[in-house]
Amino acid sequence: MEIAIVILVIALIFITRSIKVVPQQNSWVVERLGKFQQALTPGLNFLVPFIDRVAYKHSLKEIPLDVPSQICITKDNTQLQVDGILYFQVTDPIRASYGSSNYIMAVTQLAQTSLRSVIGKLELDKTFEERNIINAQIVAAIDEAALNWGVKVLRYEIKDLTPPKEILLAMQSQITAEREKRALIAASEGRRQEQINIATGEREAFIARSEGAKLAAINNAQGEAGAITAVADATALAIERVAAAIRQPGGEMAVQLKVAEKAVEAYAKVASQAKTTLIVPSNMTEVSSLITSAMTVLQVNKAPTLTP
């Protein structure tokens, strides 16, 4: 009975050491008598008991690694306290086992030295503006060296950039000054635009008034021209009618009578004025001579013009 129990225990030990079940997204490195034998894939695997052994176990999942905070000096000699997080993945279990004694420590140290190198090439203001560039440069620097360790660096993210308190106060003062400057510029631009709008409105109003005055002057001139034309037409029509009346029978006698009346009215008007000496013609036949002269003029004007 005791022998059976011993045999059963030995069998269990052999089975335990010979059968290995590797979980998904894991890789185990097996050594045979201290020498690399194979890398076990996920699933059921068989080993030679007491000869083969699992030397290394690696997870092939993406691993986040917290990079410790450190002091970095920028190009303009400003100290920054920087910490970040690194994401990497084991892609070659064999190199991860034999390429470095501790690839996690190696990646961490390389991330810190690369970060100091990249920060040292930038000025303080640029470190806040170009985080993506810093992250990309650190990933490129680490990934090149991590190939020999069987590790693929996926990305690096800066968590905090903390300058000294004095620098923070100076930066806050600078930001306040910049905001006040932008406020003053905005106010001056507003006043400038207001003056431009006022000047534009006054110019448009002046143009509108001048256009109105121009139209009014044109209308007045056209009205005066129309009135003058109407008066001239009426005068010409009156003259034509008078001339036509003179050509009628008895028209000449009427003209003689009208001329005589005007002459008498003229003498009467002169006589009525104060301190006026009136000289009356000694021979009233001179009045008839005046009338005869006027009629002669009318006869000449009435005579038809002969075309040569």
Side-chain angles (χ1 to χ4, degrees):
M1 185 66 181
E2 295 179 354
I3 297 175
I5 295 175
V6 172
I7 294 174
L8 180 60
V9 171
I10 293 173
L12 289 175
I13 293 174
F14 268 82
I15 293 172
T16 304
R17 296 185 66 89
S18 62
I19 297 176
K20 299 295 182 181
V21 178
V22 180
Q24 184 66 32
Q25 285 295 96
N26 282 265
S27 180
W28 294 358
V29 175
V30 176
E31 292 180 352
R32 177 169 293 178
L33 300 177
K35 182 180 179 182
F36 169 75
Q37 176 63 25
Q38 61 178 335
L40 301 182
T41 58
L44 183 62
N45 295 271
F46 296 94
L47 302 179
V48 177
F50 301 104
I51 297 178
D52 295 339
R53 72 180 184 92
V54 177
Y56 301 97
K57 294 181 180 181
H58 300 288
S59 174
L60 303 181
K61 299 177 183 179
E62 182 175 340
I63 301 173
L65 178 62
D66 190 12
V67 179
S69 177
Q70 61 177 331
I71 300 297
C72 300
I73 299 177
T74 63
K75 186 178 180 180
D76 49 358
N77 294 325
T78 302
Q79 292 184 352
L80 282 178
Q81 187 172 0
V82 187
D83 62 347
I85 184 168
L86 182 69
Y87 297 87
F88 70 95
Q89 185 179 21
V90 176
T91 56
D92 190 342
I94 300 173
R95 289 190 176 183
S97 301
Y98 304 104
S100 174
S101 60
N102 190 338
Y103 62 85
I104 294 180
M105 181 180 292
V107 170
T108 303
Q109 295 297 322
L110 186 57
Q112 289 182 314
T113 56
S114 300
L115 179 61
R116 288 195 295 268
S117 176
V118 174
I119 294 293
K121 297 177 182 178
L122 300 174
E123 295 181 353
L124 177 62
D125 294 337
K126 293 296 183 180
T127 58
F128 295 98
E129 299 173 3
E130 301 182 357
R131 284 198 178 192
N132 292 332
I133 297 177
I134 296 172
N135 296 336
Q137 291 180 354
I138 293 174
V139 169
I142 300 175
D143 195 39
E144 183 179 356
L147 290 176
N148 295 326
W149 306 331
V151 175
K152 173 67 176 177
V153 177
L154 302 177
R155 59 188 179 276
Y156 179 85
E157 296 292 339
I158 295 177
K159 292 195 297 184
D160 290 317
L161 284 172
T162 307
K165 293 182 179 179
E166 296 79 7
I167 301 298
L168 282 176
L169 292 176
M171 292 174 64
Q172 290 175 356
S173 301
Q174 182 180 2
I175 292 173
T176 303
E178 287 293 333
R179 289 179 178 175
E180 292 177 354
K181 176 183 176 182
R182 286 196 295 267
L184 292 175
I185 292 174
S188 64
E189 288 292 334
R191 290 192 297 271
R192 174 176 174 271
Q193 190 62 42
E194 179 184 5
Q195 295 298 326
I196 291 174
N197 292 338
I198 293 174
T200 302
E202 291 178 352
R203 182 184 67 181
E204 293 177 354
F206 178 78
I207 293 173
R209 287 194 296 269
S210 64
E211 289 291 335
K214 176 183 176 182
L215 292 176
I218 292 173
N219 292 334
N220 291 334
Q222 290 177 349
E224 291 177 358
I228 293 172
T229 301
V231 171
D233 291 340
T235 302
L237 180 60
I239 292 173
E240 290 179 358
R241 289 183 179 180
V242 170
I246 292 174
R247 288 194 292 269
Q248 299 295 326
E252 295 181 0
M253 296 298 295
V255 172
Q256 293 177 4
L257 180 60
K258 191 66 175 176
V259 172
E261 289 178 357
K262 292 294 183 181
V264 172
E265 289 178 0
Y267 278 115
K269 185 177 181 181
V270 173
S272 64
Q273 293 179 357
K275 298 180 181 181
T276 300
T277 302
L278 179 62
I279 301 174
V280 180
S282 60
N283 188 3
M284 291 301 293
T285 58
E286 292 181 1
V287 177
S288 64
S289 299
L290 179 61
I291 295 172
T292 302
S293 300
M295 294 303 299
T296 303
V297 173
L298 290 174
Q299 292 294 334
V300 172
N301 291 333
K302 270 193 332 178
T305 305
L306 299 178
T307 303

